[in-house]
Amino acid sequence: MKGSFRQSMAWLHTWAGLVVGWVLFAVFVTGTASYYRADISRWMRPELTKVSPLTHAELPAAAERAVAYLEKHASEARTWFIGLPHGDEPVLDLFWRIRPGAPPGHVILDARTGAEMALRKTMAGDFLYRFHFELHLPPIWGRWIVGICAMIMLVALISGIITHKRIFSDFFTFRRDKAPRRSFLDAHNVTGVLALPYHLMITYTGIVTLSMMYMPWGVTTAYRGDSQAYFSEAGFVTKSRPVANRPAPPAPIGPMVERALATFPERLGRVSIAHHGDAHATVIAAFEEPHGLSHEHPQIAFDGVTGAVLEVVNGGLKPAAKTFSTMVGLHEAHFAGPTLRLLFFLCGVMGSAMVATGLVLWTLARLPKANERPFFGLRLVQALNIASVAGLPAAVATYFLANRLLPPDLAGRSDWEIRAFFAAWIAAALIPLARPHRRAWSEMLGLVAGLCLAVVLADIATVETHPLRRLGAGEALFLWFDGALLAMACLFAVAVRKVARYQAPSRAERSREAPRPSAAVRSSERPAPLHAAPPPLAAAEPERA
Amino acid sequence: MSTSKGSAGTGLVERAGIFARIVLATGGGYAVAALATALLSVTLPLERSEAVTTATLLSFAILAGVVVLVFALHSVPRAAGILFGAILVMGLGLWLAAGPGLFVGGAP
């Protein structure tokens, strides 16, 4: 392009960052929350605190109960997935898929009786987790959109690094008292550069987790498109067995689970059963990863008819496959203990902030002069910025709030939680359109702070086992969760103050007297020089972005 | 895309140039990365699964590199030339390495 290499990279950084910023913000926020997916799920099913964990010896019988339920209710499904009970989720979590594309069946059973549990119906942390890479769209669409955005993000990161002449000194630069555009630029640089290794890692490894979908052409040429053959040859999964179409009585699952438990010390997470009742029925016991960075689940495949072990997959990956699974492991961060997990979480928050400040920066650099009307693109970007940066956190908070406030026995309850999420998001995107831009920011950020606070209050009010109602006798998780939301509320309250704070004191006074205060507010938002020649107050229309 | 003087005519040329670069970067970039993945998968002196994994892991770096290249080069025809050259060479290499049977089998 015209100009120097660095100039063309600056152009690329600006526009690549802008077009995907809104999706990326949502992906960053929900992905960051997903570091605590298990905790969120536990918090969203408070009834589970009353269920005591199961011992190892109880697991085989629990698996039998799961199979009995599935035989009765999901006999036409090709594959069943049985999530076995464990510490945080002492229940049977059953999934089955009847055919590709159809929504999967799902039920939670009492592991000790095999009956459906009287739990509030919720997608819990899984909704945020899946939204992170599927955006609640049909999986194929969602995953491609997120993948394309991640790829553009990678390009934006690379071009952003090239753009940065003084990457080292900018590391230590934050000019908070300068013009808003300056401090936004510095905030963008600080959040971008400080956590840069994390941003590069999380973007590339995120693409890698779905790489076989985005870039299947190696499998196409080397394996003639047979991805199952590739996965088993690489040592990721056990060999798949085609259906025989001959019925055969299935072996009981209990002894297989018993044998699996005796084979590996890791937690037995999931048992899947393919083609139950067929002569080629296969039972696969999949364990949690052993300690380490790599995403390697030990697996044992059993013959579903004889109960004999067919194959054991346990580590031993070759270098490239090991690299691949380490990248996936880095992305998922299952290896991270509490401290490291918190660091990952904070890096994710910084990533979200990097995207948000970048988006705002684009608008600050293009504000019209006092006597010009903002052009359409600017108003569009401003509207989308509020809709994502304030709207998505409002939606997440509303999702939590709905979990506490919707009646537990409401029909289609988990769908209503998700509807609440989107309704809040749409509302938070539309209301600012009718408000002056600067005010809209304050109001929407304030709304998020209020919603976070409301979640904490609703939690204390509706959960009778809450530690604050039992003088600390309940589960500490609830205190941590509520504490985190209070911290979020404070963070957004500070943001409200910051948005207001950019008004110069003298102008703030004048704006109070002015008939249309928003005009004064708007004009002070312009890039540097901030205090040079304040425009006539009545000149600028209050903006309706 | 030469120097812009800010007139309407140049603006149009510039826009066309940017549009061409976007098409080249996305379509051409993906084509180059996909061909490189396919070619490396059958030519790397590794086990079959290792070659595929290595090639796939590299492909996104290749794609990002091509995008940066397309936007960094001064002339669009030059960028297009380099991309089509690479596609041609790799396509030929793939034909020689994997044989015509590959293309009969049909890609998904």
Side-chain angles (χ1 to χ4, degrees), chain A residues 382-401:
Chain A
Q382 285 178 330
L384 285 170
N385 283 356
I386 300 190
S388 66
V389 175
L392 183 79
V396 173
T398 307
Y399 179 62
F400 292 148
L401 198 58

Side-chain angles (χ1 to χ4, degrees), chain A residues 524-542:
Chain A
S524 69
E525 216 177 47
R526 286 164 56 232
L530 184 62
H531 299 286
L537 285 177
E541 280 282 291

Side-chain angles (χ1 to χ4, degrees), chain A residues 218-382:
Chain A
V219 174
T220 308
T221 48
Y223 287 86
R224 295 289 183 267
D226 184 354
S227 55
Q228 279 307 315
Y230 161 73
F231 284 124
S232 71
E233 213 172 287
F236 294 134
V237 298
T238 57
K239 282 183 197 69
S240 70
R241 296 207 299 170
V243 61
N245 283 322
R246 273 182 289 115
I253 189 98
M256 290 187 244
V257 169
E258 221 164 292
R259 188 155 172 196
L261 287 168
T263 311
F264 290 113
E266 280 76 33
R267 181 165 77 70
L268 177 56
R270 191 163 86 173
V271 172
S272 62
I273 305 175
H275 315 305
H276 185 75
D278 185 82
H280 275 180
T282 314
V283 176
I284 297 171
F287 295 79
E288 291 301 297
E289 301 111 315
H291 190 69
L293 290 184
S294 188
H295 169 93
E296 286 172 58
H297 297 271
Q299 289 164 53
I300 307 173
F302 295 94
D303 187 310
V305 178
T306 66
V309 173
L310 292 171
E311 194 184 351
V312 177
V313 168
N314 181 28
L317 293 179
K318 294 173 206 93
K322 183 87 181 172
T323 309
F324 180 92
S325 64
T326 302
M327 284 181 154
V328 176
L330 274 172
H331 193 84
E332 295 182 330
H334 288 166
F335 57 82
T339 316
L340 191 54
R341 186 163 296 268
L342 184 64
L343 184 68
F344 269 74
F345 178 81
L346 292 177
C347 285
V349 170
M350 272 201 268
S352 316
M354 172 187 69
V355 175
T357 50
L359 286 169
V360 172
L361 198 55
W362 190 93
T363 61
L364 290 181
R366 284 163 186 77
L367 286 177
K369 297 199 178 60
N371 52 355
E372 284 173 5
R373 286 189 59 80
F375 57 102
F376 173 74
L378 177 66
R379 289 190 296 165
L380 181 71
V381 171
Q382 285 178 330

Side-chain angles (χ1 to χ4, degrees), chain A residues 58-147:
Chain A
E58 290 177 277
L59 291 182
E64 296 277 13
R65 289 180 198 114
V67 169
Y69 180 93
L70 289 162
E71 277 175 340
K72 206 177 202 177
H73 295 96
S75 57
E76 73 273 45
R78 295 189 312 175
T79 310
W80 299 335
F81 300 97
I82 304 169
L84 289 175
H86 60 94
D88 274 351
E89 282 181 59
V91 291
L92 285 163
D93 197 1
L94 311 185
F95 270 99
W96 61 90
R97 203 173 272 284
I98 295 187
R99 59 181 175 280
H106 177 223
V107 71
I108 290 178
L109 301 185
D110 185 325
R112 292 194 173 86
T113 65
E116 285 186 39
M117 272 199 106
L119 288 176
R120 61 187 71 199
K121 294 270 189 302
T122 174
M123 288 271 290
D126 293 352
F127 169 70
L128 298 176
Y129 167 72
R130 296 203 83 83
F131 189 90
H132 164 62
F133 59 95
E134 287 176 355
L135 304 173
H136 202 63
L137 294 170
I140 298 285
W141 283 96
R143 289 174 186 207
W144 267 106
I145 292 171
V146 171

